[in-house]
Amino acid sequence: MSNHPPKITATHVNVWYGAKKAIDDVSIDIDQDSVTALIGPSGCGKSTFLRTLNRMNDTVANARVQGDIRLDGEDIYSPDMDVVQLRARVGMVFQKPNPFPKSIYENVAYGPRIHGLASSRSELEGIVQTSLKRAGLWEEVKDRLSDSGTALSGGQQQRLCIARAIAVDPEVILMDEPCSALDPIATAKIEELIHALKGRYAIAIVTHNMQQAARVSQRTAFFHLGQLVEYGATTEIFTNPREERTRDYITGRYG
Amino acid sequence: MSNAAPFSTRRPTDWATPAMQSRVRRRYRAERRFRLLGLAAVTLSGAFLLFLLGSMLLRGAGGFLETRVAMPIDFARASLDVDPRRLQGRAADLALAGAGLEGAVDDAAVAAFGPDLGGRILSDGAWLRVREAIKDDPSVLSRRVVMSLPVASPIDVAAKGPGSVEAEAVVASLRSGDLLSTGLNREFLLSADSTDPTRAGIWGALKGSILTMLVTLLLAFPIGLLAALYLEEYAPKNRWTDLIEVSINNLAAVPSIIFGLLGLALFLGTFGLPRSAPLVGGLTLALLTMPVIVIASRNAIKAVPPSIRDAALGVGASPIQVVFHHVLPLALPGILTGTIIGMARALGETAPLLMIGMRAFIAAPPDGITDPATVLPVQVFLWSDEVGRGFVEKTSAAIVVLLVFLLAMNALAIHLRNRFETRW
Ligand SMILES: Nc1ncnc2c1ncn2[C@@H]1O[C@H](COP(=O)(O)OP(=O)(O)OP(=O)(O)O)[C@@H](O)[C@H]1O
Ligand SMILES: [Mg+2]
């Protein structure tokens, strides 16, 4: 459905936590100009898989990743790969909001600053402002940018984390249940944001909300017990799933 | 409606029964009891601290004071042969000593109090006061003046409290002539140890302590912090790092005198560093403080939530940026607290410093970290061992100085911790 080659190709990916296998032979392509939703019951490995895409699993002491994952054809697990740069190119919004215990401004400015993305103070201020605007937070915080990021509400914190991620201008954004702490209005804002970001960034989003997956994504992957059960166009998955397990899950017949 | 079939066989809870209410009351009683116990514990420890400080202050206050006797000196008759033009600057000390000032002061004492008492009434250092007075105002050399000069230790002791029978009699007769007065003993705060309690000062030991603590801090803090950072952030978790962890914990529990023996063998024996020097004392105490700092820093670093690390890594911070931009600032209050606890312990250590020779009698404050010196707790130990009655109050006064130093250090730590504390 896309005329570009995929942004990320993951083939035969396995992940272990110690002796426990959390991801079992998963192959997925993530397209440049579409949103990919990862769905599945709790504990099936969605977060684990997402974290292999920017090598955040490196920080988990007993995690072991096997398989081939390429960003623009480049093997991200090869020894030549610069992990720091990879994570700047593949940004992440975590399941639990985790703003730095610093000011709102600092939270957003931190990434651009360490990567030297702004040559002047005013340019940095511009980046902070556009990032907060795109994350739909600007109106709420523009008068108190020097307040602590941790003093915001849960939903505001999550949008702050999104602003922080897009401030670095990554190529791919991985979102791990970005709306799980949000009310319907804030959720709608984030979904709008995802629509707006689509095309500019390749986006992968984990969600427990089927309607959300249907609304925001063009492609959907259904995980179960560490395996990829079904992967295809979102409309296909939701109207005409090939697998019994997928049908049960999306119709809510799953425990 | 009321006799519809019960939803379950369990009856609804009745919160108003006497049994239930007595349970509630019991719960509140337990809570009150616990609060009172806690309050009692806090009060008790506060009272101990107050008692300690109070009794030390009471007993030590005399150590900061000196008894003076008013004594006439007739410089015009003493025929001091001194050129008034040489009474400027440094040459003055030499000129006055050469002119026989000490003898002149002794003669004046004999003239004032008779040959017997005159020979033993003044402190050995009394003539130095006269010298300072002359330097301040050379015109006294041509006049007869009355000066208040510090008395010798036995009389000083008798003036402040019970002393020897003989000295008590002297004090009584001087008091009747209204010749005695009390003043601040500036020498106690400005000079070093002496065999004469009226001249013994704490400054030498205080300066020795400050220099030793500086050496300790400059070594133990960076090394301990780096070790903690490496162990927490970089070292792989395996049997070797487990072994290192156990060794560090054991090191923190090793009796301090063993560190003294180690310092003696290593720094004095192998490296041939100077004895009794703050450098060696600082090195030895650094060995003792480092494990405390490592353990406290590791705990503080461990307490930084992993989600903050994830957040920083997620925007592409390098591991060292994660450490310096996020982990360290959050861990700093805990690290500082641990450092201060370690430093406070080092400040109070006596045994290891005795081993490396810091118990020597040293009559001049150290000028640098390689000069012979002593430290406050060792000075307390040395004075408490002296036979002279005058040293009893000096011991308490030295303890007061040590406690004030300690409190100042802790206050600084609390100030720093509050400044770096992050509000979540
Ligand atoms: N650090 C870890 N160490 C050991 N096991 C882990 C670790 N993280 C996750 N797991 C296990 O791996 C499996 C997949 O976890 P993962 O967090 O990827 O699930 P998930 O699909 O994101 O679930 P949820 O929807 O509840 O977030 C789970 O069984 C979990 O217990
Ligand atoms: Mg998850």
Side-chain angles (χ1 to χ4, degrees):
Chain A
M1 68 180 254
S2 156
N3 34 14
H4 302 291
K7 185 71 184 172
I8 294 181
T9 50
T11 25
H12 303 302
V13 175
N14 295 290
V15 182
W16 288 266
Y17 289 115
K20 182 177 174 297
K21 198 163 191 180
I23 291 290
D24 184 13
D25 195 30
V26 169
S27 301
I28 283 186
D29 290 348
I30 290 178
D31 279 334
Q32 166 64 55
D33 38 40
S34 60
V35 176
T36 304
L38 309 183
I39 60 172
S42 183
C44 68
K46 306 177 297 292
S47 298
T48 302
F49 180 74
L50 207 65
R51 289 165 62 93
T52 59
L53 301 182
N54 66 345
R55 289 186 60 175
M56 282 303 287
N57 282 330
D58 290 15
T59 63
V60 180
N62 62 349
R64 196 157 55 85
V65 179
Q66 193 191 60
D68 186 67
I69 300 177
R70 287 172 186 274
L71 173 69
D72 286 335
E74 217 181 324
D75 180 4
I76 67 168
Y77 280 87
S78 95
D80 307 333
M81 189 72 211
D82 183 301
V83 185
V84 167
Q85 217 169 55
L86 169 74
R87 295 196 187 122
R89 290 169 65 193
V90 183
M92 184 156 211
V93 177
F94 294 84
Q95 190 161 355
K96 272 186 277 179
N98 55 355
F100 300 129
K102 297 175 193 265
S103 74
I104 294 171
Y105 181 89
E106 271 309 304
N107 262 282
V108 185
Y110 181 68
R113 188 177 294 138
I114 58 173
H115 296 296
L117 301 186
S119 53
S120 70
R121 218 188 138 105
S122 59
E123 198 180 340
L124 188 60
E125 280 167 11
I127 292 179
V128 171
Q129 183 172 344
T130 36
S131 307
L132 284 170
K133 274 187 179 152
R134 283 216 222 126
L137 191 59
W138 176 252
E139 288 303 321
E140 287 154 73
V141 302
K142 65 181 176 201
D143 299 323
R144 47 174 183 144
L145 289 177
S146 53
D147 284 9
S148 174
T150 49
L152 295 172
S153 78
Q156 290 173 325
Q157 287 188 13
Q158 192 60 296
R159 278 178 284 154
L160 180 61
C161 293
I162 294 175
R164 181 175 67 191
I166 56 186
V168 186
D169 198 26
E171 298 162 25
V172 183
I173 299 185
L174 310 174
M175 297 186 175
D176 197 346
E177 290 184 48
C179 302
S180 60
L182 303 191
D183 70 299
I185 297 172
T187 302
K189 277 189 190 156
I190 303 263
E191 289 181 9
E192 256 169 56
L193 166 70
I194 293 172
H195 277 299
L197 298 179
K198 190 191 123 204
R200 177 173 181 132
Y201 309 108
I203 297 174
I205 176 172
V206 172
T207 178
H208 280 295
N209 181 330
M210 293 307 109
Q211 286 81 33
Q212 182 172 61
R215 278 194 303 265
V216 301
S217 73
Q218 286 74 52
R219 296 171 71 71
T220 296
F222 172 59
F223 283 74
H224 186 225
L225 296 177
Q227 287 170 332
L228 179 64
V229 176
E230 193 167 344
Y231 181 40
T234 299
T235 43
E236 279 292 299
I237 298 262
F238 278 90
T239 54
N240 188 19
R242 271 179 284 119
E243 296 274 337
E244 187 68 26
R245 280 187 287 175
T246 316
R247 190 195 320 275
D248 286 351
Y249 182 71
I250 59 177
T251 53
R253 241 178 294 157
Y254 239 54
Chain B
M1 201 162 104
S2 60
N3 49 21
F7 170 65
S8 80
T9 51
R10 197 176 145 185
R11 275 185 292 113
T13 310
D14 184 357
W15 297 98
T17 58
M20 181 64 86
Q21 283 184 339
S22 94
R23 259 199 299 278
V24 170
R25 272 198 302 278
R26 216 166 41 235
R27 233 159 44 190
Y28 281 116
R29 266 206 304 281
E31 170 127 15
R32 260 199 308 278
R33 221 167 23 240
F34 182 75
R35 257 209 334 241
L36 278 178
L37 274 178
L39 195 66
V42 171
T43 317
L44 197 66
S45 26
F48 273 136
L49 187 67
L50 273 182
F51 174 74
L52 177 73
L53 278 178
S55 72
M56 280 307 143
L57 271 177
L58 273 183
R59 282 204 272 165
F64 295 97
L65 300 175
E66 65 183 9
T67 308
R68 296 178 191 149
V69 59
M71 188 183 94
I73 308 178
D74 192 348
F75 288 108
R77 278 198 18 220
S79 66
L80 284 175
D81 182 21
V82 46
D83 181 351
R85 277 169 311 172
R86 288 188 59 203
L87 285 177
Q88 244 75 55
R90 292 195 163 203
D93 288 356
L94 270 178
L96 285 168
L101 180 62
E102 191 172 0
V105 173
D106 286 346
D107 291 346
V110 169
F113 303 108
D116 174 39
L117 180 58
R120 57 191 170 85
I121 187 168
L122 290 183
S123 153
D124 286 346
W127 74 279
L128 295 170
R129 299 288 177 87
V130 180
R131 187 179 73 186
E132 297 308 308
I134 294 174
K135 272 156 64 183
D136 282 349
D137 178 13
S139 72
V140 298
L141 278 177
S142 54
R143 282 187 276 140
R144 177 178 183 278
V145 289
V146 176
M147 286 186 173
S148 278
L149 296 176
V151 298
S153 183
I155 300 173
D156 185 54
V157 169
K160 286 171 179 164
S164 67
V165 180
E166 195 192 354
E168 292 273 14
V170 171
V171 168
S173 81
L174 290 174
R175 279 240 167 86
S176 65
D178 202 17
L179 294 174
L180 289 185
S181 62
T182 309
L184 183 69
N185 187 352
R186 286 184 41 221
E187 227 166 314
F188 178 68
L189 293 174
L190 296 177
S191 68
D193 200 5
S194 165
T195 47
D196 176 0
T198 58
R199 297 182 63 192
I202 197 68
W203 173 236
L206 184 60
K207 195 170 176 193
S209 267
I210 293 173
L211 290 173
T212 307
M213 286 295 107
L214 270 181
V215 173
T216 304
L217 183 67
L218 289 181
L219 281 170
F221 182 66
I223 298 181
L225 182 55
L226 282 176
L229 275 177
Y230 180 79
L231 287 173
E232 276 308 310
E233 299 288 330
Y234 294 104
K237 304 273 175 279
N238 57 27
R239 261 185 313 156
W240 292 111
T241 41
D242 284 349
L243 193 71
I244 290 174
E245 168 146 27
V246 171
S247 317
I248 290 176
N249 290 350
N250 283 336
L251 218 53
V254 168
S256 58
I257 191 148
I258 294 172
F259 285 102
L261 286 169
L262 178 68
L264 178 64
L266 191 67
F267 302 130
L268 299 185
T270 310
F271 296 144
L273 294 174
R275 282 183 87 76
S276 308
L279 174 64
V280 180
L283 284 166
T284 308
L285 292 181
L287 290 178
L288 188 132
T289 314
M290 216 150 53
V292 179
I293 296 183
V294 172
I295 292 172
S297 305
R298 286 189 69 176
N299 287 335
I301 292 167
K302 241 188 261 186
V304 174
S307 64
I308 297 296
R309 285 169 223 264
D310 279 356
L313 288 170
V315 292
S318 64
I320 194 162
Q321 285 172 327
V322 174
V323 167
F324 281 99
H325 297 164
H326 301 281
V327 175
L328 262 191
L330 291 176
L332 206 54
I335 294 173
L336 286 178
T337 309
T339 306
I340 284 295
I341 291 173
M343 293 297 290
R345 180 178 162 203
L347 177 65
E349 277 301 341
T350 318
L353 299 181
L354 298 179
M355 301 307 303
I356 56 152
M358 289 188 99
R359 64 171 306 169
F361 171 79
I362 288 146
D367 279 327
I369 55 170
T370 51
D371 286 352
T374 189
V375 294
L376 286 170
V378 176
Q379 189 70 77
V380 169
F381 169 74
L382 291 177
W383 281 349
S384 70
D385 219 22
E386 288 275 351
V387 278
R389 294 276 311 274
F391 279 109
V392 175
E393 62 183 19
K394 295 289 159 193
T395 308
S396 298
I399 291 174
V400 171
V401 172
L402 177 59
L403 289 180
V404 167
F405 191 178
L406 204 72
L407 290 180
M409 240 165 77
N410 281 341
L412 178 72
I414 292 172
H415 169 71
L416 286 177
R417 200 179 55 202
N418 290 346
R419 250 193 70 186
F420 290 119
E421 195 108 78
T422 314
R423 313 248 170 270
W424 290 86

